Amino acid sequence: MNDLLERYLGAVCSYFLGFKKKRVYDDLKYHIQSSVHQYDDLEDLLVNYGHPRSIALSYGYRPIIQHIFNPKVVSIIERIVLLISGIYLFFSTLFYLEQFNCLPFQDSHQVIATLNTSNIIALLLSHPFLVMISIAVIAIISLILADQKYKVPQEIDPLWSLQKLYDLPHQSHYPSHVAETIFMIIFTIFFIFYSIFFSRDIIIQIQHESYQMIHLMTYFFQPFIMIIFVDYIIDITKKIYTKKYLKYSTLINLFTLISLTIFVVNSGFLHDYLLPLNININYTFVNFFIIGALIMIYTISLYKLLRNLKSYRSLFRS
């Protein structure tokens, strides 16, 4: 019975974030446990309490977007975005790893040679930020157009029953975005300063044998940064994780970790690319931002990989 209560509490609290979620959980659990003696069993109490969304509304939940999108359309758009972004990330990574001369296998040079013979492909791979932004914009437009064509009723079914109570998923299926949001706030602030710093002509001013590689690194990191933002935006919209989403997200974060590891190990990064610290402050800042970018991408990708694996495992629970 406690499991059933936790499922119900999880369904209600899925509408909230952060400290508000904890307050609602504690208050609702207290009131339910205080009232349980008035009913024959917990099921009757939870059915009489009402639909989880209705309870959430009574605690102050107000949806940011009132429109109800077709869930099938949303799911298809999500998968397409993650798939196209993943494909672009793969070829972009291959392209830049070859530029750094740190690919661990030789056959890929044939692929790179093909890429370099196409001006269009080379142009796309040379502007990862613009490409990823374009993918996001096209996805949003496609979502709006497809949703208009395949509309769903905007009225939410308020009916609540014992069967719907039993159908509630395990409480572990409801994600908590608190830790990831904190990571993303730090991640965003860091890369704002990162972009401001490297938008200057600092690379041109640096008279060091590795300055061209440092310049390439600022482009190499961009697809990883953008796909982390795309994945986070998709993630934050989910009240319940699906196995398919967790698979896509896990593959992308695993690929990110492997790619960065290949780059760091095979490029001799720490030995060859770091600038002397005793020349001027700009050299120190370059080192700080490059190493910081690697640590930021590593940290959030590793966190999401472990979180996805844990969430995926919990989907098998009854």
Side-chain angles (χ1 to χ4, degrees):
M1 290 302 176
N2 285 333
D3 177 69
L4 195 61
L5 174 59
E6 291 298 328
R7 289 175 184 238
Y8 185 79
L9 292 172
V12 175
C13 293
S14 66
Y15 293 93
F16 300 99
L17 297 173
F19 297 110
K20 176 71 172 178
K21 184 174 187 175
K22 182 67 168 58
R23 288 197 299 269
V24 171
Y25 175 89
D26 292 337
D27 185 72
L28 182 58
K29 186 173 185 178
Y30 170 78
H31 283 95
I32 289 176
Q33 290 179 334
S34 300
S35 305
V36 71
H37 67 278
Q38 302 175 16
Y39 292 82
D40 293 334
D41 51 48
L42 183 61
E43 288 99 327
D44 290 339
L45 171 59
L46 296 180
V47 170
N48 285 327
Y49 242 76
H51 195 287
R53 189 176 188 276
S54 300
I55 302 301
L57 289 170
S58 70
Y59 274 97
Y61 165 70
R62 298 295 180 270
I64 298 175
I65 300 176
Q66 299 291 338
H67 180 79
I68 301 174
F69 288 92
N70 187 323
K72 292 183 179 179
V73 170
V74 172
S75 178
I76 292 172
I77 295 295
E78 284 179 357
R79 278 181 286 181
I80 292 174
V81 168
L82 289 174
L83 181 62
I84 294 176
S85 300
I87 292 173
Y88 179 78
L89 179 64
F90 173 78
F91 283 106
S92 176
T93 302
L94 199 65
F95 177 79
Y96 284 105
L97 287 179
E98 193 273 343
Q99 302 300 312
F100 292 127
N101 195 30
C102 59
L103 284 172
F105 43 87
Q106 296 300 315
D107 292 342
S108 62
H109 286 277
Q110 298 176 357
V111 178
I112 296 298
T114 303
L115 294 177
N116 286 333
T117 57
S118 173
N119 292 330
I120 296 178
I121 295 178
L123 183 64
L124 291 175
L125 295 176
S126 300
H127 297 83
F129 182 81
L130 295 178
V131 171
M132 296 296 288
I133 288 292
S134 300
I135 292 173
V137 171
I138 293 172
I140 293 172
I141 295 174
S142 300
L143 173 62
I144 295 172
L145 294 178
D147 185 74
Q148 289 296 317
K149 184 176 181 180
Y150 303 102
K151 293 182 179 180
V152 294
Q154 296 298 300
E155 296 79 18
I156 297 176
D157 183 10
L159 298 179
W160 183 239
S161 64
L162 183 61
Q163 185 58 49
K164 289 186 177 181
L165 174 64
Y166 285 141
D167 290 340
L168 289 176
H170 190 273
Q171 60 269 24
S172 59
H173 289 206
Y174 299 103
S176 174
H177 302 290
V178 176
E180 186 177 0
T181 299
I182 294 173
F183 277 135
M184 287 303 298
I185 291 173
I186 298 172
F187 187 84
T188 302
I189 293 173
F190 174 84
F191 279 105
I192 287 174
F193 285 104
Y194 175 95
S195 61
I196 292 174
F197 180 79
F198 282 108
S199 64
R200 302 156 54 213
D201 59 352
I202 183 66
I203 300 298
I204 300 176
Q205 296 175 17
I206 293 175
Q207 300 299 319
H208 190 268
E209 60 184 8
S210 64
Y211 81 96
Q212 289 183 329
M213 292 303 184
I214 294 172
H215 182 67
L216 276 177
M217 273 188 276
T218 63
Y219 286 89
F220 173 61
F221 291 149
Q222 287 181 27
F224 298 111
I225 297 168
M226 293 303 300
I227 206 164
I228 286 173
F229 277 109
V230 169
D231 191 25
Y232 173 71
I233 293 171
I234 293 175
D235 189 284
I236 202 72
T237 63
K238 295 192 174 297
K239 288 185 171 58
I240 300 177
Y241 284 142
T242 62
K243 292 181 182 179
K244 287 184 179 180
Y245 166 72
L246 291 175
K247 287 179 181 178
Y248 284 119
S249 181
T250 298
L251 287 174
I252 287 173
N253 286 286
L254 183 60
F255 178 79
T256 298
L257 291 170
I258 293 174
S259 300
L260 290 180
T261 301
I262 291 173
F263 165 68
V264 172
V265 173
N266 289 359
S267 67
F269 171 74
L270 295 176
H271 181 266
D272 298 331
Y273 293 166
L274 293 186
L275 303 179
L277 296 177
N278 58 349
I279 295 182
N280 60 49
I281 190 66
N282 282 332
Y283 278 45
T284 302
F285 273 120
V286 168
N287 288 340
F288 168 78
F289 280 115
I290 293 297
I291 295 176
L294 275 171
I295 292 174
M296 287 286 177
I297 298 172
Y298 255 119
T299 301
I300 198 164
S301 296
L302 182 60
Y303 165 77
K304 295 186 74 170
L305 177 65
L306 296 176
R307 183 216 62 186
N308 288 345
L309 293 174
K310 180 181 178 181
S311 298
Y312 190 84
R313 177 177 173 272
S314 72
L315 289 174
F316 293 97
R317 297 177 183 175
S318 59

